[in-house]
Amino acid sequence: MSSEELEGQRRAYARWAPIYDAVYHRFLADAHRRTAAAAARAGPDILEVGVGTGLVLSHYPPHARVSGVDLSEPMLRKAAEKVREKSLAQVRLIAAMDAGRLGFRDGAFDAVALPFVITLVPEPEAALDECARVLKPGGEIVIASKLGYDTGVQARLEEAIDPVMKRIGWSAAFKISRIEGWARRRGGFEVLAVEPLFPAGLFKLIRLRKAG
Ligand SMILES: C[S@@+](CC[C@H](N)C(=O)[O-])C[C@H]1O[C@@H](n2cnc3c(N)ncnc32)[C@H](O)[C@@H]1O
């Protein structure tokens, strides 16, 4: 990933950090709760990539051992504040890291959660390769994002409202098929589920399992 692209993301989220929770806390709560639940079902060792201000962290159960990483220091400071103020003992690490270069050993985690980040990463396939690397055999990648279908009634609905959604920063350009294509080409991953999330199935949860 070019350092310019990463710098652009850093600048954007330095602006978002002070207002992110006020804008998104309620709107993303369903997706956040279900992402954490799906990741925790895969096992206790969880990596959250793009942890942002830490809105997902309180949804992980107390027995989990969660590491949260993100590019943006201002977003990470908010996450660290939450961990302290809410005494979230399940959070073991908050650290600055790029999704494309994860500083963890191979096979370290039962689950890698990516809530609302994969569509922002310039090379999503490279980031997914990194997630796959740090995942234990039998572990799961759990993705929640605004992901579109290629065909069908839902795809037509998504295209119809895309101009409005784009204006508020939620394009349907990133398709579920891109993630499915990565899994197929890479091999050793099974798409377990694609589930609709609030609002009206525009956000989706995808679970992929690494072969055991
Ligand atoms: C839309 S926010 C989502 C935050 C949080 N996951 C949530 O759902 O509330 C996207 C986050 O991804 C982070 N991000 C963007 N590109 C990244 C990258 N290449 N590596 C790590 N984090 C990244 C941003 O800094 C930002 O905090």
Side-chain angles (χ1 to χ4, degrees), residues 33-72:
R33 192 174 39 76
R34 289 173 59 183
T35 301
R41 274 197 303 275
D45 290 311
I46 299 168
L47 171 63
E48 190 183 317
V49 175
V51 67
T53 62
L55 284 178
V56 185
L57 295 174
S58 60
H59 295 289
Y60 294 107
H63 69 267
R65 295 182 288 266
V66 181
S67 298
V69 301
D70 200 286
L71 268 188
S72 165

Side-chain angles (χ1 to χ4, degrees), residues 9 13 20 32 50 52 70-72 75 97-99 115-117 120:
Q9 283 293 318
Y13 280 95
Y20 186 89
H32 285 163
D70 200 286
L71 268 188
S72 165
M75 294 289 273
M97 222 174 274
D98 170 19
F116 299 97
V117 61
L120 305 172

Side-chain angles (χ1 to χ4, degrees), residues 166-180:
K166 260 191 194 138
R167 250 182 262 149
I168 53 168
W170 294 101
S171 161
F174 199 107
K175 304 292 182 196
I176 296 164
S177 57
R178 186 159 180 183
I179 294 167
E180 291 169 335

Side-chain angles (χ1 to χ4, degrees), residues 13 16 20 23-24 27-28 116 119-120 146 161-172 198-199 202-203:
Y13 280 95
W16 266 110
Y20 186 89
V23 177
Y24 285 121
F27 188 55
L28 300 182
F116 299 97
T119 61
L120 305 172
K146 171 95 171 58
I161 62 167
D162 197 39
V164 179
M165 293 300 281
K166 260 191 194 138
R167 250 182 262 149
I168 53 168
W170 294 101
S171 161
F198 174 88
L202 288 174
F203 298 154

